[in-house]
Amino acid sequence: MADKVHDISAQAFSKDIFTTISEPHMQRVYSMYDKVSASIREHLNANHFQEHKAIILGPVTDPGIRGSKQVTVDYYGYEYKTMSSAILYKQLLSAASKKAGGSGKIYFFADNIRLEPIETAQTDRHLAEFIQVDIEVADTDHFGAMKVGEDLVASVCRSMKRYEPELKEIWAFFEPHSTARGLKKRTELKVPTSPFKKYTHREVIDLINEKIDSDPELKKHMERLFKFVPKPLSYNSEIPWEYEWLVSSLHDEPFFIYDYPKGSRGFYDREYKDKPGLLMDFDLIFPEGYGEAASGAAREYEINKIIARMKETGEKLEKYKWYLEFLQKNGTATAGFGIGLERTVRYICALPSIYLTLPCPKIPGLYSP
Amino acid sequence: MLDSLLNIFGAKKTDYPVSEIMDRARRGRKAIYPFSNEKFRFSIYGASMFGDAKRFKTIDDVVIAPPQFTPHRLEKAIELISREPIHHDVDTSTTIGGFSTKFPLVQSSMGSQDDWNKVAIYSAKACAKLGLIYGIGENITATWGYKERNAANQPSFFERAINYLENVKDGLGGLVVQQNEEDAYDELWNKMYSDKRLDEYLQQGLIAFEIKGGQGAKAGMGGEKIVDRATAKRLKQKYTMFPDPDEIEAEYYERHSSPDIFTEEILERRIKKLHNDYPNAKVWFKTGPYRDLEKVIEIASRAGADNITVDGKEGGTGMSPGVALNDLGMPTLACIKAIRRAKEKKDAKTSIIVSGRLYNGAHIVKAMALGANGIAMGRPFLLSAYAYPFADHFIEHELYNNRVMRFISTDIIHPDERSVGFVRNFVDSVEIESKLLTAAVGKYKMRDLSTEDVEAHDPTIAESLNIKSVL
């Protein structure tokens, strides 16, 4: 991959793994990965967050992930799961810290494994194995969590600004691929201005529908990029990733979408008391077409509500014994989010696809080292 | 000998269930299930209909009412130009739950029961070739494995699915897959959704996920099965087992699953969440003979279910307590009444099918005339797959004695590809009957059947179903 634009398709990437990853531009990306990780830790530690070792195995993991399968391992005759996200443990650790008189602010660099549907291999945003920086804060709600996310992203951008000369080489190298995938050409790493823009889910749906309606060029562009004809969305649905690309590409700075309708998220996202059907949750979206960076919420912690919510998602209560017992006795208000480390690196490095952030990426459905 | 002795003492037969009580006293909780304690059994149980007295009204209390004047037949003749229409001209195709099907007969989502699981792949092939929708019930992955077999002589879940999907022709039919709470433990739907080999079928829109809200033979109860000790130990984490296989050595172990929990809101959210989580799959909902069925139908349609399957009380079961078969649930005819009411509201987009001791062409024609979009059958597919010479003799004899069919499923019959032919023959016979009856009421599309085509034997039923009475 030395001087000209090479085949960086997922299939070609792992064919000769050593040649690919020993290429200087790839090594530069891995170095940025390291620096992004360090800047996240630096920021969180400076703000009195306590890091825990990530939990890998447990009798239960996050069930709230659309269509992706968990990995089951035989654990001394019990069926255990590898974490698809350690969300339930975050609540536990934050509540425990608070109870002990601590800050109630915790995080881990969580290794997540999700056997995502094959179709996600096309999104440039999904990996079957990735790291999510999982953050949880006691005594706050989703707005509090959004503030934490906003500060973190701004701080990371500020730190990474120092490496702009190296970044520029990476940007230039991948640019033809990035722009071909509908990503904006990068000329500088902007440090975003706080507070970030916030849209309700409903406002974003209106924005998307209006754009699709009024801009036939954009519609054609989406057809070329994603090989499907965009149609107006309903207020009840998640925002499919192609549409998320659309809103993302309309922005130059990160922003939030909040108040998603119930039904599109896991049972642990708290529902507004006065707005039934709406969840106190949010997504943090990177601009320029990169899409979702983080997903978070105020957590449901009242036992009667959580049981009803679990049944709405068809869960078997026995599976969550430890979690339900913990909430019953020690449930407390927490909020948090998980921010994708590889997604952040991809954004900073302006990479066409997420698998380029890792030396041995696991792309959904693809056999690779 | 005993009889004549008893006669000497002047003993008389009583209708009080003396032996039933004594059987309970001897065997305790084992006595409440209508099977013996043998390991292998052939289960085609359902509510007993014709004991000493018929206990409730059935679809047989409705007749098909042909007219003398048949304007549609004249129309059909004009369309055909050179010949008179006959039953071969009846169009049986329709759409059910988002699938196009050649004939409005769905193979019920039958589960993990041993005898059935063994022949289910043959029925799968037959249904696919016939363009029928094919259901796969709950607990199969946990019991028989997802891809790898858990038992050498029992196909896995995937074998059942792929034997259907690979034989689908012209995009007709569809695969309906249930996931109960215990299957959710194994994440069956997620597994399917990220399975490379199933992806093309999902893209073609050939797969539906069915939420199970009930079963006719045991409405309000969870799945019941008996298993051996090794299986009980293996499944202990996922099911309630009685007795505890780690502590007690027993002849067999009861495997109970829970009936799940629904409220209006839970049902609505679950349906919506399925659509949201699995955009390429259809969403079906199976419900049972509940007193609030009309409300259930209303909510499931409003939430956007593609199909609702209603299983009436007379529906079959691999295993249900005898008392449930006798005394629990609304008869199929009452379920049809609820369907009819729901369909009278014009806005119903969701298709509704019904099952529960329906097994011939008349049953399909009547159910459709009363508002159903089609019917589902379970036991007929099971019995058809076992239609080897002399099998009927064994099955009838053994069932009459309420004993097991261990010979059938172990020593005498080893089902093979011939079962595919038997199932096809059965469906063919039902299809011809349906065409004959539809043509007889002067209609040439089964989906045109309507309430004018049926009448009730007695005025109460007529009034209840809002149809004419023969008297």
Side-chain angles (χ1 to χ4, degrees), chain B residues 236-418:
Chain B
K236 202 183 147 183
Q237 194 185 347
K238 294 172 193 164
Y239 299 89
T240 310
M241 292 287 176
F242 182 89
D244 184 342
D246 287 328
E247 301 290 328
I248 292 166
E249 175 153 7
E251 202 175 1
Y252 63 80
Y253 299 83
E254 295 165 19
R255 188 202 75 188
H256 302 281
S257 43
S258 64
D260 214 337
I261 305 168
F262 289 93
T263 61
E264 292 181 18
E265 193 178 10
I266 288 175
L267 175 59
E268 189 175 340
R269 294 292 173 200
R270 250 200 237 185
I271 291 168
K272 286 184 174 162
K273 188 160 166 52
L274 274 194
H275 273 306
N276 192 64
D277 288 0
Y278 308 108
N280 293 328
K282 322 263 188 252
V283 178
W284 283 40
F285 178 61
K286 181 173 181 180
T287 182
Y290 298 112
R291 65 181 187 211
D292 48 2
L293 183 57
E294 273 183 58
K295 190 82 192 166
V296 171
I297 293 173
E298 183 195 317
I299 286 166
S301 347
R302 195 176 64 209
D306 293 296
N307 178 68
I308 302 168
T309 304
V310 183
D311 192 23
K313 163 179 190 46
E314 298 100 295
T317 171
M319 176 175 167
S320 284
V323 72
L325 298 176
N326 288 330
D327 295 307
L328 186 72
M330 317 291 282
T332 302
L333 195 62
C335 296
I336 289 175
K337 176 183 157 187
I339 294 171
R340 166 125 175 72
R341 292 241 182 119
K343 284 287 178 179
E344 276 170 352
K345 295 172 197 154
K346 291 275 181 247
D347 56 337
K349 262 191 293 176
T350 306
S351 64
I352 310 178
I353 60 172
V354 62
S355 59
R357 209 181 234 269
L358 306 179
Y359 52 80
N360 62 29
H363 291 154
I364 300 193
V365 167
K366 289 180 197 176
M368 287 183 78
L370 288 165
N373 294 72
I375 72 166
M377 292 184 190
R379 285 172 286 181
F381 285 92
L382 167 64
L383 288 173
S384 295
Y386 278 101
Y388 292 86
F390 307 115
D392 50 344
H393 171 76
F394 288 105
I395 292 168
E396 264 192 61
H397 180 71
E398 296 287 328
L399 283 177
Y400 177 74
N401 288 318
N402 197 15
R403 283 167 53 202
V404 295
M405 270 315 293
R406 61 181 307 187
F407 307 117
I408 284 281
S409 51
T410 55
D411 298 337
I412 295 184
I413 294 174
H414 303 284
D416 55 34
E417 290 289 327
R418 282 177 296 169

Side-chain angles (χ1 to χ4, degrees), chain A residues 66-70 78-79 81 115 118-119 238 262-264 311-316 319 365, chain B residues 181-182 184-187 190-191 194 196 203 237-238 260 265-266 269-270 273 276-277 280:
Chain A
R66 282 196 283 176
S68 81
K69 186 172 77 95
Q70 303 163 4
Y78 292 100
E79 257 182 33
K81 305 286 183 186
L115 304 183
I118 313 286
E119 63 203 34
E238 272 283 354
K262 199 165 146 186
S264 54
K311 293 317 299 178
E312 285 175 15
T313 51
E315 290 298 328
K316 189 170 172 63
K319 228 168 111 171
Chain B
E181 285 185 312
E182 286 77 15
Y185 208 108
D186 289 336
E187 290 190 293
N190 281 343
K191 253 182 211 164
S194 52
K196 256 185 159 171
Q203 301 295 338
Q237 194 185 347
K238 294 172 193 164
D260 214 337
E265 193 178 10
I266 288 175
R269 294 292 173 200
R270 250 200 237 185
K273 188 160 166 52
N276 192 64
D277 288 0
N280 293 328

Side-chain angles (χ1 to χ4, degrees), chain A residues 328-339:
Chain A
Q328 186 189 18
K329 293 186 201 113
N330 291 299
T332 182
T334 66
F337 61 92
I339 181 163

Side-chain angles (χ1 to χ4, degrees), chain A residues 281-301:
Chain A
D281 63 1
F282 65 89
D283 279 355
L284 170 57
I285 312 287
F286 282 134
E288 301 174 1
Y290 290 90
E292 184 189 323
S295 201
R299 311 296 174 204
E300 200 77 79
Y301 61 94

Side-chain angles (χ1 to χ4, degrees), chain B residues 87-104:
Chain B
H87 65 278
H88 289 308
D89 298 311
V90 172
D91 176 6
T92 59
S93 66
T94 183
T95 18
I96 294 176
F99 299 127
S100 299
T101 173
K102 218 164 157 188
F103 183 54

Side-chain angles (χ1 to χ4, degrees), chain A residues 21-41:
Chain A
I21 67 173
S22 56
E23 205 283 330
H25 284 100
M26 294 313 299
Q27 287 294 321
R28 258 177 220 125
V29 171
Y30 305 146
S31 155
M32 290 303 131
Y33 187 104
D34 188 30
K35 291 181 168 72
V36 169
S37 303
S39 70
I40 292 174
R41 279 204 167 90

